[in-house]
C-alpha cells in the first residue's frame, strides 16, 4: 500500500508540475515528517524501470540527478538519499521535489514559515501583528458602587454583576443566599421557557459556601466572587451531563473541566445550571423542547445559545456563557434583549467545549465572514460583559488557537469623548437608547 501511494505521488509530480510547487510552498513543517517516511519507504522498494510498479514486489524506484535508488542495496540507497538511518534533511526533500534551485537560506525560510512574507495560510494564527502585542496582564479599575440590597427577590434577580458583587463584598448578602435566589428562579420559570438542561444545585451550594468561607477569612477574589452563573451545555463540567442538546448524548458525562469553567471557578463564580443549546449546537430546538423568548413566550429565542440568552433575560442567572460559530451569540441576544459579547477568535480557550468549526474561513451565506468557534458572555450590560471577558480570556495551554489577547481597561475610558454613529434607517428607539 505504501508503494502504491509513493507511486501515485511520483506520477502526480511528473505529470502535473504545479503539484510539486504546491507542496513546496505549503508549510513544510507539516510535510517533512510525512515526506521523510514516504521517501524512506521508497528507498526500500525495488524495481528496474522508474517509475513503474513491479507485479512481483509491488515496488517502485525513482532517480534524482540520474542516480537510481534501488532496495537491492538498501544501505547504499539510504546513504545516497539522506543521512544515517534514512532520515531526510530539508535539502533532500527539496531535491526530490525538483526544488533544489533554492538557496540554503531560502530553504530555511520556507521550512520555517512557508517562504512567504506572512505565515502560511495552512496554519491559522489569530494574532494579526505579533510585534505589536501589548501586555495582556492589565488589571481593571472597577467603578466604585454604593448600593443597598433590594427588599424583594425580583429586584435582586435583575441587578447586574457589578452590583451583586458589591453586595457580596460588603456582606449585605451571602453567596449561599444569592445562589438560593437564582436556583429557585431556574426551577420556577424553566417549565415555560425550556431553557435549562441541568440544575447543578449540589455543586452550586458547595461553591457558594466556599466563597462565603473565603470572604470571612478576608480573601476576596474579585467582582465574580460568589456570583451565580450558567454555562451553555456544550461546555463540560465533571460529574454532570454535557448533552450537546442532543437526545443521542443526553446521558453523556465528560470527565474534563472546560477551560472557561476553570477560569470562572478560580474567580469565585458559582455554577447553578447547564443551559440549553440547540441540538449539536444548532438553533434553539433540543431534545427537551424549544427555548422561548422571555419577553414574548409565543416566540422562540433563536440561535444555539438559546439557554444562556433566555435565562439571563428572565433573571434566572446574572450572566451566562454561550458560544458562536455563525450568529449563536448575537441572534439570541438580540431576540431576548440582553447584552452579549462575541470575542475575537482565540481570545477565550475552548478546551472541554464541543467543537463545530476549529477554523473555517469564508462562507457564501455569511458573505465570506470568518466562521470559527468562539465563547462569550451574556449579561445585562456592556460593563458586565467586560468584567466576564477579563476573567475568561487568556492562553489555554490545551487550545493551540488561543492567545493572551490584550484588553484595555474599559472603565478608564471617558465616555464624553466618544462619538456614536448610527444608520439613517436604524430603529430610532434603539438609536435614542444608544445615544443616551
Amino acid at each position: 500500500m505504501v508503494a502504491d501511494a509513493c507511486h501515485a505521488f511520483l506520477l502526480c509530480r511528473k505529470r502535473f508540475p504545479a503539484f510539486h510547487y504546491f507542496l513546496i510552498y505549503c508549510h513544510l513543517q507539516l510535510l517533512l515528517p510525512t515526506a521523510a517516511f514516504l521517501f524512506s519507504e521508497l528507498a526500500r522498494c525495488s524495481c528496474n524501470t522508474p517509475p513503474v510498479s513491479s507485479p512481483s514486489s509491488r515496488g517502485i524506484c525513482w532517480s534524482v540527478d540520474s542516480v537510481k535508488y534501488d532496495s537491492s542495496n538498501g544501505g547504499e540507497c539510504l546513504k545516497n538519499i539522506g543521512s544515517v538511518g534514512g532520515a531526510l534533511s530539508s535539502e533532500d526533500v527539496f531535491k526530490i521535489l525538483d526544488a533544489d534551485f533554492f538557496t540554503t537560506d531560502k530553504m530555511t525560510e520556507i521550512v520555517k514559515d512557508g517562504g512567504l512574507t506572512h505565515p502560511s495560510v495552512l496554519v491559522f494564527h489569530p494574532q494579526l501583528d505579533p510585534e505589536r502585542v501589548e501586555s495582556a496582564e492589565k488589571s481593571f479599575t472597577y467603578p466604585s458602587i454604593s448600593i443597598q440590597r433590594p427588599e424583594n427577590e425580583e429586584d435582586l434577580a435583575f441587578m447586574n454583576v457589578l452590583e451583586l458583587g458589591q453586595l457580596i463584598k460588603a456582606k449585605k448578602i451571602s453567596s449561599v443566599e444569592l445562589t438560593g435566589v437564582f436556583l429557585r428562579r431556574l426551577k420556577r420559570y424553566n417549565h415555560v421557557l425550556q431553557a435549562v438542561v441541568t440544575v447543578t444545585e449540589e455543586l452550586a451550594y458547595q461553591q457558594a459556601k466556599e466563597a462565603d468561607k473565603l470572604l470571612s477569612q478576608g480573601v476576596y477574589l474579585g467582582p465574580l466572587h460568589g456570583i451565580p452563573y450558567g454555562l451553555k451545555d456544550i461546555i463540560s463540567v465533571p460529574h454532570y451531563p454535557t448533552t450537546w442538546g442532543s437526545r443521542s448524548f443526553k446521558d453523556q458525562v465528560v470527565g474534563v473541566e472546560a477551560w472557561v469553567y476553570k477560569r470562572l471557578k478560580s474567580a469565585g463564580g458559582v455554577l447553578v445550571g447547564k443551559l440549553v443549546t440547540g441540538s449539536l449546537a444548532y438553533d434553539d430546538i433540543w431534545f427537551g423542547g424549544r427555548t422561548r423568548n422571555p419577553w414574548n413566550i409565543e416566540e422562540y429565542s433563536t440561535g444555539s445559545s438559546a439557554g444562556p440568552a433566555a435565562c439571563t433575560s428572565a433573571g434566572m442567572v446574572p450572566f451566562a456563557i454561550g458560544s458562536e460559530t455563525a450568529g449563536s451569540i448575537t441572534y439570541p441576544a438580540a431576540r431576548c434583549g440582553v447584552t452579549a459579547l462575541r470575542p475575537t477568535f482565540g481570545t477565550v480557550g475552548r478546551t472541554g467545549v464541543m467543537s463545530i468549526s476549529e477554523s473555517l474561513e469564508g462562507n457564501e451565506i455569511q458573505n465570506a465572514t470568518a466562521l470559527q468557534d468562539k465563547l462569550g458572555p451574556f449579561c445585562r450590560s456592556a460593563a458586565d460583559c467586560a468584567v466576564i471577558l477579563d476573567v475568561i480570556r487568556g492562553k489555554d495551554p490545551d487550545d493551540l488557537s488561543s492567545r493572551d489577547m490584550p484588553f484595555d481597561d474599559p472603565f478608564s475610558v471617558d465616555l464624553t469623548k466618544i462619538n456614536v454613529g448610527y444608520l439613517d434607517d436604524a430603529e430610532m428607539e434603539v438609536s435614542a437608547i444608544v445615544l443616551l
Side-chain angles (χ1 to χ4, degrees), residues 241-368:
T242 300
T243 70
W244 299 345
S246 169
R247 189 177 302 279
S248 300
F249 299 99
K250 66 184 182 67
D251 298 318
Q252 171 181 245
V253 177
V254 181
V256 174
E257 283 192 337
W259 171 254
V260 68
Y261 171 63
K262 287 182 180 179
R263 299 288 285 185
L264 292 166
K265 185 170 69 170
S266 67
V270 175
L271 179 64
V272 293
K274 302 291 293 298
L275 311 181
V276 163
T277 172
S279 182
L280 299 179
Y282 181 79
D283 209 11
D284 53 15
I285 302 173
W286 60 296
F287 66 86
R290 190 172 187 183
T291 304
R292 297 180 181 273
N293 174 13
W295 289 92
N296 182 356
I297 60 173
E298 294 182 357
E299 291 183 347
Y300 300 103
S301 60
T302 79
S304 68
S305 296
C311 287
T312 304
S313 178
M316 296 159 72
V317 290
F319 75 94
I321 302 298
S323 70
E324 172 166 324
T325 304
S328 291
I329 288 179
T330 53
Y331 292 163
R335 173 63 64 87
C336 296
V338 295
T339 303
L341 176 61
R342 181 195 65 189
T344 299
F345 176 70
T347 301
V348 182
R350 298 168 298 163
T351 298
V353 180
M354 173 190 156
S355 176
I356 300 178
S357 175
E358 288 291 330
S359 174
L360 175 61
E361 294 287 345
N363 183 290
E364 291 181 3
I365 298 176
Q366 297 294 325
N367 296 320

Side-chain angles (χ1 to χ4, degrees), residues 21-29 31 110 113-115 120 122:
Y21 286 111
F22 167 75
L23 292 178
I24 293 167
Y25 286 103
C26 283
H27 203 295
L28 290 184
Q29 285 180 327
L31 296 176
I110 292 173
D113 59 21
S120 169
L122 297 182

Side-chain angles (χ1 to χ4, degrees), residues 1-22:
M1 182 175 66
V2 171
D4 288 339
C6 295
H7 187 189
F9 175 86
L10 290 172
L11 286 177
C12 284
R13 186 179 69 83
K14 182 178 180 66
R15 296 177 183 176
F16 305 102
F19 176 77
H20 74 273
Y21 286 111
F22 167 75

Side-chain angles (χ1 to χ4, degrees), residues 219-233:
V219 178
Y220 180 64
L221 300 177
L224 297 189
H225 189 122
I227 302 296
Y229 69 96
L231 292 175
K232 183 177 179 178
D233 202 29

